[in-house]
Amino acid sequence: MLIENKISQYISEHYNVPAEYLWNKFPQYAVFRHSKSRKWFAILMNVAGHKIGLNTIEDTWIINVKAKPELIGSLRLMKGIYPAYHMNKEHWLSLNLVEVDEELLYQLINESYFLTTKKYKSSSN
C-alpha cells in the first residue's frame, strides 16, 4: 500500500475523519479536519521537493501537521521534518513521507489532532 493511502486509512480509522479534496487544481491534495470544529489537523500533498528544501524538482509526498511552537525548532533537526510548506512555520511542520520515521509520523499526526481540538489549552494559558 502506498504511504499516502496508508496515512489516509490511519486517520480514517483512528479519528473517523475522511479525506477532503478541496482543490480542482490539486486533486491529490487531501485535507483532514475535525468533524465538529472543522479545524484542519493534517494536509497530505505531493509537492516539488525544492519547495520544502530538498535539492530536487521531483514531486515528494508530504503531510503538514500542527505542532507545539516550543518543539518546532528541535523537531526540524530530525530527518524528514521541514519548515511547513504553505502554512505558518511557527505552528506547522512538513513531514517528508519518504524520510520521516513512521512511528514519529503517527505520533505527530496524533499530536496535531490533539492540538487542533477546541478543548486544547496551551500550557501558557
Side-chain angles (χ1 to χ4, degrees):
M1 176 184 293
L2 298 173
I3 187 69
E4 60 273 15
N5 295 336
K6 189 175 176 184
I7 291 171
S8 291
Q9 182 179 347
Y10 174 87
I11 291 172
S12 177
E13 289 174 359
H14 284 81
Y15 304 111
N16 196 29
V17 173
E20 295 180 48
Y21 300 92
L22 304 178
W23 302 284
N24 291 334
K25 186 175 178 182
F26 303 105
Q28 298 125 331
Y29 287 21
V31 171
F32 300 91
R33 59 173 128 191
H34 292 272
S35 55
K36 291 182 182 174
S37 72
R38 307 301 292 155
K39 288 185 177 186
W40 294 10
F41 65 92
I43 306 106
L44 185 63
M45 57 191 134
N46 60 336
V47 300
H50 68 87
K51 292 184 177 184
I52 62 166
L54 300 176
N55 192 21
T56 182
I57 60 169
E58 295 294 319
D59 280 352
T60 302
W61 278 100
I62 63 170
I63 188 167
N64 282 357
V65 294
K66 193 164 191 176
K68 291 179 180 178
E70 62 268 22
L71 299 178
I72 294 278
S74 57
L75 285 168
R76 280 196 258 171
L77 297 174
M78 302 174 87
K79 183 177 180 171
I81 301 179
Y82 297 88
Y85 169 69
H86 219 285
M87 299 291 282
N88 181 321
K89 290 164 182 41
E90 184 180 338
H91 297 278
W92 290 80
L93 297 165
S94 286
L95 312 177
N96 180 341
L97 300 183
V98 173
E99 296 178 316
V100 73
D101 176 78
E102 191 171 347
E103 184 178 332
L104 179 60
L105 167 69
Y106 292 120
Q107 285 177 335
L108 291 172
I109 290 171
N110 294 337
E111 181 71 6
S112 184
Y113 183 85
F114 172 72
L115 288 172
T116 54
T117 60
K118 277 192 166 186
K119 294 177 188 175
Y120 173 73
K121 300 282 187 202
S122 86
S123 58
S124 63
N125 286 344

